[in-house]
CSV table of all heavy atoms in Angstrom, one decimal:
chain,number,residue,atom,x,y,z
A,1002,MET,N,-34.1,80.3,-164.8
A,1002,MET,CA,-34.4,81.6,-165.2
A,1002,MET,C,-35.1,81.6,-166.5
A,1002,MET,O,-34.7,80.8,-167.4
A,1002,MET,CB,-33.1,82.4,-165.4
A,1002,MET,CG,-33.2,83.8,-165.9
A,1002,MET,SD,-31.7,84.7,-166.1
A,1002,MET,CE,-31.2,84.9,-164.5
A,1003,LYS,N,-36.1,82.3,-166.6
A,1003,LYS,CA,-36.9,82.4,-167.9
A,1003,LYS,C,-36.8,83.9,-168.3
A,1003,LYS,O,-37.0,84.8,-167.5
A,1003,LYS,CB,-38.3,82.0,-167.7
A,1003,LYS,CG,-38.5,80.5,-167.4
A,1003,LYS,CD,-39.9,80.2,-167.3
A,1003,LYS,CE,-40.1,78.7,-167.0
A,1003,LYS,NZ,-41.4,78.3,-166.8
A,1004,LEU,N,-36.6,84.1,-169.6
A,1004,LEU,CA,-36.5,85.4,-170.2
A,1004,LEU,C,-37.5,85.5,-171.3
A,1004,LEU,O,-37.6,84.7,-172.2
A,1004,LEU,CB,-35.1,85.7,-170.8
A,1004,LEU,CG,-33.9,85.5,-169.8
A,1004,LEU,CD1,-32.6,85.5,-170.6
A,1004,LEU,CD2,-33.9,86.5,-168.7
A,1005,LEU,N,-38.2,86.6,-171.3
A,1005,LEU,CA,-39.1,86.9,-172.4
A,1005,LEU,C,-38.5,88.2,-173.1
A,1005,LEU,O,-38.4,89.2,-172.5
A,1005,LEU,CB,-40.5,87.2,-171.9
A,1005,LEU,CG,-41.6,87.5,-172.9
A,1005,LEU,CD1,-41.8,86.3,-173.8
A,1005,LEU,CD2,-42.9,87.9,-172.2
A,1006,VAL,N,-38.1,88.0,-174.4
A,1006,VAL,CA,-37.5,89.0,-175.1
A,1006,VAL,C,-38.3,89.4,-176.4
A,1006,VAL,O,-38.7,88.4,-177.1
A,1006,VAL,CB,-36.0,88.6,-175.5
A,1006,VAL,CG1,-35.3,89.7,-176.3
A,1006,VAL,CG2,-35.2,88.2,-174.3
A,1007,PHE,N,-38.5,90.7,-176.6
A,1007,PHE,CA,-39.2,91.1,-177.8
A,1007,PHE,C,-38.2,91.2,-179.0
A,1007,PHE,O,-37.2,91.9,-178.9
A,1007,PHE,CB,-39.9,92.4,-177.7
A,1007,PHE,CG,-40.7,92.8,-178.9
A,1007,PHE,CD1,-41.9,92.1,-179.2
A,1007,PHE,CD2,-40.2,93.8,-179.7
A,1007,PHE,CE1,-42.6,92.5,-180.3
A,1007,PHE,CE2,-40.9,94.2,-180.8
A,1007,PHE,CZ,-42.1,93.5,-181.2
A,1008,ASP,N,-38.4,90.4,-180.1
A,1008,ASP,CA,-37.6,90.5,-181.3
A,1008,ASP,C,-38.4,91.4,-182.2
A,1008,ASP,O,-39.5,91.9,-181.9
A,1008,ASP,CB,-37.5,89.1,-181.8
A,1008,ASP,CG,-36.3,89.0,-182.8
A,1008,ASP,OD1,-35.6,90.0,-183.0
A,1008,ASP,OD2,-36.2,87.9,-183.5
A,1009,THR,N,-37.9,91.6,-183.4
A,1009,THR,CA,-38.5,92.5,-184.4
A,1009,THR,C,-39.9,92.1,-184.8
A,1009,THR,O,-40.7,93.0,-185.1
A,1009,THR,CB,-37.7,92.7,-185.6
A,1009,THR,OG1,-37.5,91.4,-186.2
A,1009,THR,CG2,-36.3,93.3,-185.3
A,1010,ASP,N,-40.2,90.9,-184.8
A,1010,ASP,CA,-41.5,90.4,-185.2
A,1010,ASP,C,-42.3,89.5,-184.2
A,1010,ASP,O,-43.3,88.9,-184.5
A,1010,ASP,CB,-41.4,89.7,-186.6
A,1010,ASP,CG,-40.5,88.4,-186.4
A,1010,ASP,OD1,-39.9,88.3,-185.4
A,1010,ASP,OD2,-40.5,87.6,-187.4
A,1011,GLY,N,-41.8,89.5,-183.0
A,1011,GLY,CA,-42.5,88.7,-182.0
A,1011,GLY,C,-41.6,88.5,-180.7
A,1011,GLY,O,-40.6,89.1,-180.6
A,1012,TYR,N,-42.1,87.6,-179.9
A,1012,TYR,CA,-41.4,87.4,-178.6
A,1012,TYR,C,-40.6,86.1,-178.7
A,1012,TYR,O,-41.0,85.1,-179.3
A,1012,TYR,CB,-42.4,87.3,-177.4
A,1012,TYR,CG,-43.0,88.7,-177.1
A,1012,TYR,CD1,-44.1,89.1,-177.6
A,1012,TYR,CD2,-42.3,89.5,-176.2
A,1012,TYR,CE1,-44.7,90.3,-177.3
A,1012,TYR,CE2,-42.8,90.7,-175.8
A,1012,TYR,CZ,-44.0,91.2,-176.4
A,1012,TYR,OH,-44.5,92.4,-176.1
A,1013,LEU,N,-39.5,86.1,-177.9
A,1013,LEU,CA,-38.7,84.9,-177.7
A,1013,LEU,C,-38.7,84.5,-176.3
A,1013,LEU,O,-38.7,85.4,-175.4
A,1013,LEU,CB,-37.2,85.1,-178.2
A,1013,LEU,CG,-37.0,85.5,-179.6
A,1013,LEU,CD1,-35.6,86.0,-179.8
A,1013,LEU,CD2,-37.3,84.3,-180.5
A,1014,LEU,N,-38.8,83.2,-176.0
A,1014,LEU,CA,-38.8,82.8,-174.6
A,1014,LEU,C,-37.5,81.9,-174.4
A,1014,LEU,O,-37.3,80.9,-175.1
A,1014,LEU,CB,-40.0,81.9,-174.3
A,1014,LEU,CG,-40.1,81.3,-172.9
A,1014,LEU,CD1,-40.1,82.4,-171.8
A,1014,LEU,CD2,-41.3,80.4,-172.7
A,1015,TYR,N,-36.6,82.4,-173.5
A,1015,TYR,CA,-35.4,81.6,-173.2
A,1015,TYR,C,-35.6,81.0,-171.8
A,1015,TYR,O,-36.2,81.6,-170.9
A,1015,TYR,CB,-34.2,82.5,-173.1
A,1015,TYR,CG,-33.8,83.1,-174.5
A,1015,TYR,CD1,-34.2,84.4,-174.8
A,1015,TYR,CD2,-33.1,82.4,-175.4
A,1015,TYR,CE1,-33.8,85.0,-176.0
A,1015,TYR,CE2,-32.7,82.9,-176.6
A,1015,TYR,CZ,-33.1,84.2,-176.9
A,1015,TYR,OH,-32.8,84.7,-178.1
A,1016,HIS,N,-35.0,79.8,-171.6
A,1016,HIS,CA,-35.1,79.2,-170.3
A,1016,HIS,C,-33.7,78.6,-170.0
A,1016,HIS,O,-33.2,77.9,-170.8
A,1016,HIS,CB,-36.1,78.1,-170.3
A,1016,HIS,CG,-36.3,77.4,-169.0
A,1016,HIS,ND1,-36.9,76.2,-168.9
A,1016,HIS,CD2,-35.9,77.7,-167.8
A,1016,HIS,CE1,-36.9,75.8,-167.7
A,1016,HIS,NE2,-36.3,76.7,-167.0
A,1017,LYS,N,-33.1,79.0,-168.9
A,1017,LYS,CA,-31.8,78.5,-168.5
A,1017,LYS,C,-31.9,77.9,-167.1
A,1017,LYS,O,-32.3,78.6,-166.2
A,1017,LYS,CB,-30.8,79.6,-168.6
A,1017,LYS,CG,-29.4,79.1,-168.3
A,1017,LYS,CD,-28.3,80.1,-168.6
A,1017,LYS,CE,-26.9,79.4,-168.4
A,1017,LYS,NZ,-25.9,80.3,-168.8
A,1018,ARG,N,-31.3,76.7,-167.0
A,1018,ARG,CA,-31.3,76.1,-165.6
A,1018,ARG,C,-29.8,75.7,-165.4
A,1018,ARG,O,-29.2,75.1,-166.3
A,1018,ARG,CB,-32.2,74.9,-165.6
A,1018,ARG,CG,-32.2,74.2,-164.3
A,1018,ARG,CD,-33.1,73.0,-164.3
A,1018,ARG,NE,-33.0,72.3,-163.1
A,1018,ARG,CZ,-33.6,71.2,-162.8
A,1018,ARG,NH1,-34.5,70.7,-163.7
A,1018,ARG,NH2,-33.5,70.5,-161.7
A,1019,LEU,N,-29.3,76.0,-164.3
A,1019,LEU,CA,-27.9,75.7,-163.9
A,1019,LEU,C,-27.8,74.3,-163.4
A,1019,LEU,O,-28.6,73.9,-162.6
A,1019,LEU,CB,-27.4,76.7,-162.9
A,1019,LEU,CG,-27.4,78.2,-163.3
A,1019,LEU,CD1,-26.9,79.0,-162.1
A,1019,LEU,CD2,-26.5,78.4,-164.5
A,1020,ALA,N,-26.7,73.6,-163.8
A,1020,ALA,CA,-26.4,72.3,-163.3
A,1020,ALA,C,-25.9,72.4,-161.8
A,1020,ALA,O,-26.2,71.5,-161.0
A,1020,ALA,CB,-25.4,71.6,-164.1
A,1021,LYS,N,-25.2,73.5,-161.5
A,1021,LYS,CA,-24.7,73.7,-160.1
A,1021,LYS,C,-24.8,75.2,-159.8
A,1021,LYS,O,-24.8,76.0,-160.7
A,1021,LYS,CB,-23.2,73.4,-160.1
A,1021,LYS,CG,-22.8,71.9,-160.0
A,1021,LYS,CD,-21.3,71.8,-160.0
A,1021,LYS,CE,-20.9,70.7,-159.0
A,1021,LYS,NZ,-19.4,70.7,-159.0
A,1022,GLY,N,-25.0,75.5,-158.5
A,1022,GLY,CA,-25.0,76.8,-158.1
A,1022,GLY,C,-26.4,77.5,-158.3
A,1022,GLY,O,-27.4,76.8,-158.6
A,1023,SER,N,-26.4,78.8,-158.3
A,1023,SER,CA,-27.6,79.5,-158.5
A,1023,SER,C,-27.3,80.9,-159.1
A,1023,SER,O,-26.2,81.4,-159.0
A,1023,SER,CB,-28.4,79.7,-157.2
A,1023,SER,OG,-27.6,80.4,-156.3
A,1024,PHE,N,-28.3,81.6,-159.6
A,1024,PHE,CA,-28.2,82.9,-160.1
A,1024,PHE,C,-28.2,83.9,-158.9
A,1024,PHE,O,-28.8,83.6,-157.9
A,1024,PHE,CB,-29.3,83.3,-161.1
A,1024,PHE,CG,-29.3,82.5,-162.4
A,1024,PHE,CD1,-30.2,81.5,-162.6
A,1024,PHE,CD2,-28.3,82.8,-163.3
A,1024,PHE,CE1,-30.2,80.8,-163.8
A,1024,PHE,CE2,-28.3,82.1,-164.5
A,1024,PHE,CZ,-29.2,81.1,-164.8
A,1025,GLN,N,-27.6,85.0,-159.1
A,1025,GLN,CA,-27.7,86.1,-158.1
A,1025,GLN,C,-29.1,86.5,-157.9
A,1025,GLN,O,-29.8,86.7,-158.9
A,1025,GLN,CB,-26.8,87.3,-158.5
A,1025,GLN,CG,-26.9,88.4,-157.5
A,1025,GLN,CD,-26.1,89.6,-158.0
A,1025,GLN,OE1,-25.5,89.6,-159.0
A,1025,GLN,NE2,-26.3,90.7,-157.3
A,1026,GLN,N,-29.5,86.7,-156.7
A,1026,GLN,CA,-30.8,87.2,-156.4
A,1026,GLN,C,-30.8,88.7,-156.6
A,1026,GLN,O,-30.0,89.4,-156.0
A,1026,GLN,CB,-31.2,86.9,-155.0
A,1026,GLN,CG,-32.6,87.2,-154.6
A,1026,GLN,CD,-33.1,86.6,-153.3
A,1026,GLN,OE1,-32.5,85.6,-152.9
A,1026,GLN,NE2,-34.0,87.3,-152.6
A,1027,LEU,N,-31.7,89.2,-157.4
A,1027,LEU,CA,-31.8,90.6,-157.6
A,1027,LEU,C,-32.4,91.3,-156.4
A,1027,LEU,O,-33.1,90.8,-155.6
A,1027,LEU,CB,-32.7,90.9,-158.9
A,1027,LEU,CG,-32.2,90.2,-160.1
A,1027,LEU,CD1,-33.2,90.4,-161.3
A,1027,LEU,CD2,-30.8,90.8,-160.5
A,1028,PRO,N,-32.1,92.6,-156.2
A,1028,PRO,CA,-32.5,93.3,-155.0
A,1028,PRO,C,-34.0,93.4,-154.8
A,1028,PRO,O,-34.5,93.4,-153.7
A,1028,PRO,CB,-32.0,94.8,-155.2
A,1028,PRO,CG,-30.9,94.6,-156.3
A,1028,PRO,CD,-31.2,93.4,-157.1
A,1029,ASN,N,-34.8,93.4,-155.9
A,1029,ASN,CA,-36.3,93.5,-155.8
A,1029,ASN,C,-36.9,92.2,-155.9
A,1029,ASN,O,-38.1,92.1,-156.2
A,1029,ASN,CB,-36.8,94.5,-156.8
A,1029,ASN,CG,-36.5,94.1,-158.2
A,1029,ASN,OD1,-35.7,93.2,-158.4
A,1029,ASN,ND2,-37.1,94.7,-159.2
A,1030,GLN,N,-36.2,91.1,-155.7
A,1030,GLN,CA,-36.7,89.8,-155.9
A,1030,GLN,C,-36.6,89.0,-154.6
A,1030,GLN,O,-35.6,89.0,-153.9
A,1030,GLN,CB,-35.9,89.0,-156.9
A,1030,GLN,CG,-36.4,87.6,-157.2
A,1030,GLN,CD,-35.5,86.9,-158.2
A,1030,GLN,OE1,-34.4,87.4,-158.5
A,1030,GLN,NE2,-36.0,85.8,-158.7
A,1031,SER,N,-37.7,88.4,-154.2
A,1031,SER,CA,-37.7,87.5,-153.0
A,1031,SER,C,-37.5,86.0,-153.5
A,1031,SER,O,-37.8,85.7,-154.6
A,1031,SER,CB,-38.9,87.6,-152.1
A,1031,SER,OG,-40.1,87.2,-152.9
A,1032,ALA,N,-37.1,85.2,-152.6
A,1032,ALA,CA,-36.8,83.8,-152.9
A,1032,ALA,C,-38.0,83.0,-153.3
A,1032,ALA,O,-37.9,82.0,-154.0
A,1032,ALA,CB,-36.0,83.2,-151.8
A,1033,ASP,N,-39.2,83.4,-152.8
A,1033,ASP,CA,-40.4,82.6,-153.0
A,1033,ASP,C,-41.3,83.0,-154.1
A,1033,ASP,O,-42.3,82.3,-154.4
A,1033,ASP,CB,-41.2,82.5,-151.7
A,1033,ASP,CG,-41.6,83.9,-151.3
A,1033,ASP,OD1,-41.1,84.9,-151.7
A,1033,ASP,OD2,-42.6,84.0,-150.5
A,1034,ASN,N,-41.0,84.1,-154.8
A,1034,ASN,CA,-41.8,84.4,-156.0
A,1034,ASN,C,-41.0,85.0,-157.1
A,1034,ASN,O,-39.9,85.5,-156.9
A,1034,ASN,CB,-42.9,85.4,-155.5
A,1034,ASN,CG,-42.4,86.7,-155.1
A,1034,ASN,OD1,-41.2,87.0,-155.1
A,1034,ASN,ND2,-43.3,87.7,-154.8
A,1035,ALA,N,-41.6,84.9,-158.3
A,1035,ALA,CA,-40.9,85.4,-159.5
A,1035,ALA,C,-41.3,86.9,-159.7
A,1035,ALA,O,-42.4,87.3,-159.4
A,1035,ALA,CB,-41.3,84.6,-160.7
A,1036,VAL,N,-40.3,87.7,-160.2
A,1036,VAL,CA,-40.5,89.1,-160.4
A,1036,VAL,C,-40.0,89.4,-161.8
A,1036,VAL,O,-39.0,89.0,-162.2
A,1036,VAL,CB,-39.8,89.9,-159.3
A,1036,VAL,CG1,-39.9,91.4,-159.6
A,1036,VAL,CG2,-40.3,89.6,-157.9
A,1037,ALA,N,-40.8,90.2,-162.5
A,1037,ALA,CA,-40.3,90.7,-163.8
A,1037,ALA,C,-39.4,91.9,-163.6
A,1037,ALA,O,-39.7,92.8,-162.8
A,1037,ALA,CB,-41.5,91.2,-164.6
A,1038,THR,N,-38.2,91.8,-164.2
A,1038,THR,CA,-37.2,92.9,-164.1
A,1038,THR,C,-36.7,93.3,-165.4
A,1038,THR,O,-36.4,92.4,-166.2
A,1038,THR,CB,-36.0,92.3,-163.2
A,1038,THR,OG1,-36.5,91.9,-162.0
A,1038,THR,CG2,-35.0,93.4,-163.0
A,1039,ALA,N,-36.6,94.5,-165.7
A,1039,ALA,CA,-36.0,95.0,-166.9
A,1039,ALA,C,-34.6,95.4,-166.7
A,1039,ALA,O,-34.2,95.9,-165.7
A,1039,ALA,CB,-36.8,96.3,-167.4
A,1040,MET,N,-33.7,94.9,-167.6
A,1040,MET,CA,-32.3,95.3,-167.5
A,1040,MET,C,-31.7,95.3,-168.9
A,1040,MET,O,-32.2,94.8,-169.8
A,1040,MET,CB,-31.5,94.3,-166.6
A,1040,MET,CG,-31.4,92.9,-167.2
A,1040,MET,SD,-30.4,91.8,-166.1
A,1040,MET,CE,-31.2,91.8,-164.6
A,1041,ASP,N,-30.5,96.0,-169.0
A,1041,ASP,CA,-29.9,96.1,-170.3
A,1041,ASP,C,-29.1,94.8,-170.6
A,1041,ASP,O,-28.9,94.0,-169.7
A,1041,ASP,CB,-29.0,97.4,-170.4
A,1041,ASP,CG,-27.9,97.4,-169.4
A,1041,ASP,OD1,-27.7,96.4,-168.6
A,1041,ASP,OD2,-27.2,98.4,-169.3
A,1042,TYR,N,-28.7,94.7,-171.9
A,1042,TYR,CA,-28.1,93.5,-172.3
A,1042,TYR,C,-26.8,93.2,-171.6
A,1042,TYR,O,-26.5,92.1,-171.3
A,1042,TYR,CB,-27.9,93.6,-173.9
A,1042,TYR,CG,-27.4,92.3,-174.5
A,1042,TYR,CD1,-28.2,91.2,-174.5
A,1042,TYR,CD2,-26.1,92.2,-174.9
A,1042,TYR,CE1,-27.7,90.0,-175.1
A,1042,TYR,CE2,-25.6,91.0,-175.5
A,1042,TYR,CZ,-26.4,89.9,-175.6
A,1042,TYR,OH,-25.9,88.7,-176.1
A,1043,GLN,N,-26.0,94.2,-171.4
A,1043,GLN,CA,-24.7,94.0,-170.7
A,1043,GLN,C,-24.9,93.4,-169.3
A,1043,GLN,O,-24.2,92.5,-168.9
A,1043,GLN,CB,-24.0,95.4,-170.6
A,1043,GLN,CG,-23.5,95.9,-171.9
A,1043,GLN,CD,-22.8,97.3,-171.7
A,1043,GLN,OE1,-23.2,98.0,-170.8
A,1043,GLN,NE2,-21.9,97.6,-172.6
A,1044,ARG,N,-25.8,94.0,-168.5
A,1044,ARG,CA,-26.0,93.4,-167.2
A,1044,ARG,C,-26.6,92.0,-167.3
A,1044,ARG,O,-26.2,91.2,-166.4
A,1044,ARG,CB,-27.0,94.3,-166.4
A,1044,ARG,CG,-26.3,95.6,-166.0
A,1044,ARG,CD,-27.2,96.4,-165.1
A,1044,ARG,NE,-26.7,97.7,-164.9
A,1044,ARG,CZ,-25.8,98.0,-163.9
A,1044,ARG,NH1,-25.4,97.0,-163.1
A,1044,ARG,NH2,-25.4,99.2,-163.7
A,1045,LEU,N,-27.4,91.7,-168.2
A,1045,LEU,CA,-27.9,90.4,-168.4
A,1045,LEU,C,-26.8,89.4,-168.7
A,1045,LEU,O,-26.8,88.3,-168.1
A,1045,LEU,CB,-29.0,90.3,-169.5
A,1045,LEU,CG,-29.5,88.9,-169.9
A,1045,LEU,CD1,-30.2,88.3,-168.7
A,1045,LEU,CD2,-30.4,89.0,-171.1
A,1046,GLN,N,-25.9,89.7,-169.6
A,1046,GLN,CA,-24.8,88.9,-169.9
A,1046,GLN,C,-23.9,88.6,-168.6
A,1046,GLN,O,-23.5,87.5,-168.4
A,1046,GLN,CB,-23.9,89.5,-171.0
A,1046,GLN,CG,-24.5,89.4,-172.3
A,1046,GLN,CD,-24.7,88.0,-172.8
A,1046,GLN,OE1,-23.9,87.2,-172.7
A,1046,GLN,NE2,-25.9,87.7,-173.3
A,1047,LEU,N,-23.7,89.6,-167.8
A,1047,LEU,CA,-22.9,89.5,-166.6
A,1047,LEU,C,-23.6,88.5,-165.6
A,1047,LEU,O,-23.0,87.7,-165.0
A,1047,LEU,CB,-22.6,90.8,-166.0
A,1047,LEU,CG,-21.7,91.8,-166.7
A,1047,LEU,CD1,-21.7,93.1,-166.1
A,1047,LEU,CD2,-20.3,91.2,-166.9
A,1048,LEU,N,-24.9,88.7,-165.5
A,1048,LEU,CA,-25.7,87.9,-164.6
A,1048,LEU,C,-25.7,86.4,-165.0
A,1048,LEU,O,-25.5,85.5,-164.2
A,1048,LEU,CB,-27.2,88.4,-164.6
A,1048,LEU,CG,-28.1,87.6,-163.7
A,1048,LEU,CD1,-27.8,87.8,-162.2
A,1048,LEU,CD2,-29.5,88.0,-164.0
A,1049,LEU,N,-25.8,86.2,-166.3
A,1049,LEU,CA,-25.8,84.8,-166.8
A,1049,LEU,C,-24.4,84.2,-166.7
A,1049,LEU,O,-24.3,82.9,-166.6
A,1049,LEU,CB,-26.2,84.8,-168.3
A,1049,LEU,CG,-27.7,85.1,-168.5
A,1049,LEU,CD1,-28.0,85.2,-170.0
A,1049,LEU,CD2,-28.6,84.1,-167.8
A,1050,ARG,N,-23.3,85.0,-166.6
A,1050,ARG,CA,-22.0,84.5,-166.5
A,1050,ARG,C,-21.6,84.3,-165.0
A,1050,ARG,O,-20.5,83.8,-164.7
A,1050,ARG,CB,-21.0,85.4,-167.2
A,1050,ARG,CG,-21.1,85.3,-168.7
A,1050,ARG,CD,-20.2,86.3,-169.3
A,1050,ARG,NE,-20.4,86.4,-170.7
A,1050,ARG,CZ,-19.7,85.9,-171.6
A,1050,ARG,NH1,-18.6,85.2,-171.3
A,1050,ARG,NH2,-20.0,86.1,-172.9
A,1051,GLY,N,-22.4,84.7,-164.1
A,1051,GLY,CA,-22.2,84.5,-162.7
A,1051,GLY,C,-21.5,85.7,-162.0
A,1051,GLY,O,-21.0,85.5,-160.9
A,1052,VAL,N,-21.5,86.9,-162.6
A,1052,VAL,CA,-20.9,88.0,-162.0
A,1052,VAL,C,-21.8,88.7,-161.0
A,1052,VAL,O,-23.0,88.8,-161.2
A,1052,VAL,CB,-20.5,89.1,-163.1
A,1052,VAL,CG1,-19.9,90.4,-162.5
A,1052,VAL,CG2,-19.5,88.5,-164.0
A,1053,ASP,N,-21.3,89.1,-159.8
A,1053,ASP,CA,-22.1,89.7,-158.8
A,1053,ASP,C,-22.4,91.2,-159.2
A,1053,ASP,O,-21.5,92.0,-159.3
A,1053,ASP,CB,-21.4,89.7,-157.5
A,1053,ASP,CG,-22.2,90.2,-156.3
A,1053,ASP,OD1,-23.3,90.7,-156.5
A,1053,ASP,OD2,-21.7,90.1,-155.2
A,1054,LEU,N,-23.6,91.5,-159.6
A,1054,LEU,CA,-24.0,92.8,-160.1
A,1054,LEU,C,-23.9,93.9,-159.1
A,1054,LEU,O,-23.8,95.1,-159.4
A,1054,LEU,CB,-25.4,92.8,-160.7
A,1054,LEU,CG,-25.6,91.8,-161.9
A,1054,LEU,CD1,-27.0,91.9,-162.4
A,1054,LEU,CD2,-24.6,92.2,-163.0
A,1055,ARG,N,-23.9,93.6,-157.8
A,1055,ARG,CA,-23.8,94.6,-156.7
A,1055,ARG,C,-22.4,95.3,-156.8
A,1055,ARG,O,-22.3,96.4,-156.3
A,1055,ARG,CB,-24.0,94.0,-155.4
A,1055,ARG,CG,-25.5,93.5,-155.2
A,1055,ARG,CD,-25.6,92.8,-153.9
A,1055,ARG,NE,-24.8,91.5,-154.0
A,1055,ARG,CZ,-24.8,90.5,-153.2
A,1055,ARG,NH1,-25.6,90.6,-152.1
A,1055,ARG,NH2,-24.1,89.5,-153.4
A,1056,HIS,N,-21.4,94.6,-157.3
A,1056,HIS,CA,-20.1,95.2,-157.2
A,1056,HIS,C,-19.5,95.6,-158.6
A,1056,HIS,O,-18.4,95.9,-158.8
A,1056,HIS,CB,-19.1,94.2,-156.6
A,1056,HIS,CG,-19.5,93.8,-155.2
A,1056,HIS,ND1,-19.5,94.6,-154.1
A,1056,HIS,CD2,-20.0,92.6,-154.7
A,1056,HIS,CE1,-20.0,94.0,-153.1
A,1056,HIS,NE2,-20.3,92.8,-153.4
A,1057,VAL,N,-20.4,95.5,-159.6
A,1057,VAL,CA,-20.0,95.9,-161.0
A,1057,VAL,C,-20.0,97.4,-161.0
A,1057,VAL,O,-21.0,98.1,-160.6
A,1057,VAL,CB,-20.9,95.3,-162.0
A,1057,VAL,CG1,-20.7,95.9,-163.4
A,1057,VAL,CG2,-20.8,93.8,-162.0
A,1058,GLN,N,-19.0,98.0,-161.6
A,1058,GLN,CA,-18.9,99.4,-161.8
A,1058,GLN,C,-18.5,99.7,-163.2
A,1058,GLN,O,-17.5,99.4,-163.7
A,1058,GLN,CB,-17.9,100.1,-160.8
A,1058,GLN,CG,-17.9,101.6,-160.9
A,1058,GLN,CD,-17.0,102.1,-159.8
A,1058,GLN,OE1,-16.0,101.5,-159.4
A,1058,GLN,NE2,-17.2,103.3,-159.4
A,1059,PHE,N,-19.5,100.3,-164.0
A,1059,PHE,CA,-19.2,100.7,-165.4
A,1059,PHE,C,-18.6,102.1,-165.4
A,1059,PHE,O,-19.0,103.0,-164.8
A,1059,PHE,CB,-20.5,100.7,-166.2
A,1059,PHE,CG,-21.1,99.3,-166.3
A,1059,PHE,CD1,-22.1,98.9,-165.5
A,1059,PHE,CD2,-20.6,98.5,-167.3
A,1059,PHE,CE1,-22.7,97.6,-165.7
A,1059,PHE,CE2,-21.2,97.2,-167.5
A,1059,PHE,CZ,-22.2,96.8,-166.7
A,1060,ARG,N,-17.6,102.2,-166.3
A,1060,ARG,CA,-16.9,103.5,-166.5
A,1060,ARG,C,-17.7,104.3,-167.5
A,1060,ARG,O,-18.3,103.7,-168.4
A,1060,ARG,CB,-15.5,103.3,-166.9
A,1060,ARG,CG,-14.6,102.7,-165.9
A,1060,ARG,CD,-13.2,102.6,-166.4
A,1060,ARG,NE,-12.4,102.0,-165.5
A,1060,ARG,CZ,-11.7,102.6,-164.5
A,1060,ARG,NH1,-11.8,103.9,-164.3
A,1060,ARG,NH2,-11.0,101.9,-163.7
A,1061,LYS,N,-17.8,105.6,-167.4
A,1061,LYS,CA,-18.5,106.4,-168.4
A,1061,LYS,C,-17.8,106.3,-169.7
A,1061,LYS,O,-16.5,106.4,-169.8
A,1061,LYS,CB,-18.5,107.8,-167.9
A,1061,LYS,CG,-19.4,108.0,-166.7
A,1061,LYS,CD,-19.5,109.5,-166.3
A,1061,LYS,CE,-20.4,109.6,-165.1
A,1061,LYS,NZ,-20.6,111.0,-164.7
A,1062,ARG,N,-18.6,106.2,-170.8
A,1062,ARG,CA,-18.0,106.1,-172.1
A,1062,ARG,C,-18.8,107.2,-173.0
A,1062,ARG,O,-19.9,107.5,-172.7
A,1062,ARG,CB,-18.2,104.7,-172.7
A,1062,ARG,CG,-17.5,103.6,-172.0
A,1062,ARG,CD,-16.0,103.7,-172.3
A,1062,ARG,NE,-15.3,102.6,-171.7
A,1062,ARG,CZ,-14.2,102.7,-171.1
A,1062,ARG,NH1,-13.6,103.9,-171.0
A,1062,ARG,NH2,-13.6,101.6,-170.6
A,1063,TYR,N,-18.1,107.6,-174.0
A,1063,TYR,CA,-18.7,108.6,-174.9
A,1063,TYR,C,-19.6,107.9,-175.8
A,1063,TYR,O,-19.3,106.8,-176.4
A,1063,TYR,CB,-17.6,109.3,-175.7
A,1063,TYR,CG,-18.1,110.1,-176.8
A,1063,TYR,CD1,-18.6,111.4,-176.5
A,1063,TYR,CD2,-18.1,109.7,-178.1
A,1063,TYR,CE1,-19.1,112.2,-177.5
A,1063,TYR,CE2,-18.7,110.5,-179.1
A,1063,TYR,CZ,-19.1,111.8,-178.8
A,1063,TYR,OH,-19.6,112.5,-179.8
A,1064,THR,N,-20.8,108.4,-176.0
A,1064,THR,CA,-21.7,107.9,-177.0
A,1064,THR,C,-22.2,109.0,-177.8
A,1064,THR,O,-22.6,110.1,-177.3
A,1064,THR,CB,-23.0,107.2,-176.3
A,1064,THR,OG1,-23.6,108.1,-175.4
A,1064,THR,CG2,-22.6,106.0,-175.5
A,1065,LYS,N,-22.2,108.8,-179.1
A,1065,LYS,CA,-22.6,109.8,-180.1
A,1065,LYS,C,-24.1,109.9,-180.1
A,1065,LYS,O,-24.8,108.9,-180.3
A,1065,LYS,CB,-22.0,109.5,-181.5
A,1065,LYS,CG,-22.3,110.6,-182.5
A,1065,LYS,CD,-21.6,110.2,-183.8
A,1065,LYS,CE,-21.9,111.2,-184.8
A,1065,LYS,NZ,-21.3,110.9,-186.1
A,1066,CYS,N,-24.6,111.1,-180.0
A,1066,CYS,CA,-26.1,111.3,-180.0
A,1066,CYS,C,-26.5,111.2,-181.5
A,1066,CYS,O,-25.9,111.7,-182.4
A,1066,CYS,CB,-26.5,112.6,-179.4
A,1066,CYS,SG,-26.1,112.7,-177.7
A,1067,ALA,N,-27.7,110.6,-181.7
A,1067,ALA,CA,-28.1,110.4,-183.1
A,1067,ALA,C,-28.8,111.7,-183.6
A,1067,ALA,O,-29.2,112.5,-183.0
A,1067,ALA,CB,-29.1,109.3,-183.2
């Protein structure tokens, strides 16, 4: 998996390869080509930890508007 992340003054490139197993295939991704996907940080952390994102259910939380 390769991640391109924008930091405050430039881009960071992360590369992670698993010793065993595989990452979950995203719904809009086919096995034979790479697809750019935007996701929030919480979902990214779950994906990297091996959680199946199809069955994740986030509860609504209060957020203060700025």
Side-chain angles (χ1 to χ4, degrees):
M1002 175 182 290
K1003 292 182 182 178
L1004 304 172
L1005 183 63
V1006 180
F1007 181 74
D1008 198 6
T1009 57
D1010 60 350
Y1012 287 94
L1013 299 169
L1014 178 63
Y1015 293 100
H1016 182 195
K1017 183 170 184 173
R1018 182 176 173 184
L1019 299 177
K1021 283 179 141 181
S1023 62
F1024 293 107
Q1025 175 187 351
Q1026 186 170 333
L1027 299 175
N1029 59 349
Q1030 179 184 17
S1031 63
D1033 60 341
N1034 66 357
V1036 174
T1038 303
M1040 68 174 58
D1041 60 6
Y1042 185 71
Q1043 290 176 332
R1044 290 187 185 274
L1045 175 62
Q1046 288 296 316
L1047 293 172
L1048 180 69
L1049 293 175
R1050 291 175 190 256
V1052 176
D1053 187 354
L1054 296 178
R1055 293 173 293 189
H1056 303 291
V1057 172
Q1058 186 174 26
F1059 291 99
R1060 296 184 182 270
K1061 292 184 179 180
R1062 298 286 186 221
Y1063 174 79
T1064 55
K1065 185 177 179 179
C1066 295

